[in-house]
Amino acid sequence: MRQNPSFAMTDVGEIRRLIHLNPWVTLVSQTDDGLVASHYAVMLDDTRDDLTIVGHVGKPDDAILGLGERELLVVVQGPHGYITPRWYGDVPAVPTWNFVSAHLSGIPELLSPDENLRVLERLVDRFEGDGDDARGLYRLPNDEAFIERLERGTVGFRLTPTRVTAKRKLSQNKTAEVVETIIAGLADEGPERAPLVAEMRRAADARVRP
């Protein structure tokens, strides 16, 4: 991802927030047969305060990706959307696309079966929600045979990135007035634009904060 100083996101806390809010990532690896990609959910490692992530892949994706043997690129995609030049006023302009994204690269560490199981349990706990559903929450069965099948079918990993590129392109190169016009225009387009509106508002507020 080409970096631009105007849009660079370097604050670790903000990148952690991006990962937490957008756990469905793309895993990319270079193999002898060319590039391969897979899609899985990841989480921040709860024992660390850096950008270390944990996750798992199903077999044989571990072998296809060369997990633990070669560099892995993790693409985290946040809110994004089309920006029309109509919102810029009567000036020469072209359309663009606003987005928030991060690339994390490094050689992942393979987890032990016990660590992998803990990651799986954390994933389930997070996405099952708060238990308001009358049917109750799902939990991984505490059954030895079931756990053995899980261990045979998945491979957990921990990635502490050695290279990070994060970008928040949210019209920071426009005047505050134009940014407000863009935010209003996006909001008028419907609720599906809400995540991008929220990110633009966050960036705009940070811009004027002393």
Side-chain angles (χ1 to χ4, degrees):
M1 176 166 58
R2 181 178 63 85
Q3 191 54 281
N4 181 318
S6 299
F7 305 136
M9 184 164 58
T10 58
D11 183 271
V12 171
E14 285 297 292
I15 302 173
R16 284 174 59 87
R17 174 179 172 272
L18 174 67
I19 296 167
H20 177 73
L21 294 177
N22 301 277
W24 187 248
V25 303
T26 303
L27 311 177
V28 183
S29 181
Q30 175 68 57
T31 74
D32 293 339
D33 296 322
L35 290 172
V36 295
S38 297
H39 308 274
Y40 284 93
V42 300
M43 296 180 298
L44 293 162
D45 187 334
D46 62 354
T47 69
R48 307 278 293 270
D49 58 5
D50 57 9
L51 297 177
T52 298
I53 58 173
V54 291
H56 75 278
V57 302
K59 294 182 178 180
D61 277 4
D62 60 319
I64 293 171
L65 291 165
L67 207 63
E69 299 174 359
R70 59 175 70 100
E71 186 176 46
L72 185 71
L73 168 64
V74 179
V75 180
V76 184
Q77 182 61 66
H80 59 92
Y82 175 79
I83 306 298
T84 173
R86 292 185 287 107
W87 293 329
Y88 298 158
D90 188 18
V91 296
V94 296
T96 191
W97 204 274
N98 277 3
F99 63 92
V100 186
S101 185
H103 293 180
L104 314 176
S105 300
I107 299 176
E109 163 198 356
L110 300 186
L111 300 181
S112 69
D114 286 346
E115 289 175 312
N116 183 34
L117 181 60
R118 180 171 178 272
V119 168
L120 290 169
E121 289 174 334
R122 281 189 61 211
L123 280 167
V124 170
D125 289 346
R126 175 179 176 184
F127 296 113
E128 275 295 304
D130 57 14
D132 289 341
D133 191 321
R135 293 169 296 179
L137 298 178
Y138 171 82
R139 291 290 181 262
L140 290 179
N142 186 19
D143 175 84
E144 186 175 345
F146 179 84
I147 298 302
E148 287 179 358
R149 289 197 301 274
L150 269 182
E151 292 174 352
R152 289 196 301 267
T154 64
V155 176
F157 68 90
R158 175 182 293 108
L159 175 68
T160 300
T162 53
R163 290 189 295 138
V164 177
T165 305
K167 193 169 182 178
R168 178 163 49 189
K169 179 183 175 294
L170 299 172
S171 302
Q172 297 98 317
N173 57 339
K174 303 299 181 183
T175 66
E177 181 181 5
V178 168
V179 169
E180 292 301 325
T181 301
I182 295 171
I183 291 173
L186 287 169
D188 287 344
E189 290 187 343
E192 69 277 4
R193 293 289 213 163
L196 182 57
V197 168
E199 289 301 321
M200 288 202 61
R201 169 54 59 205
R202 185 179 181 85
D205 289 348
R207 183 178 182 179
V208 299
R209 193 177 302 132

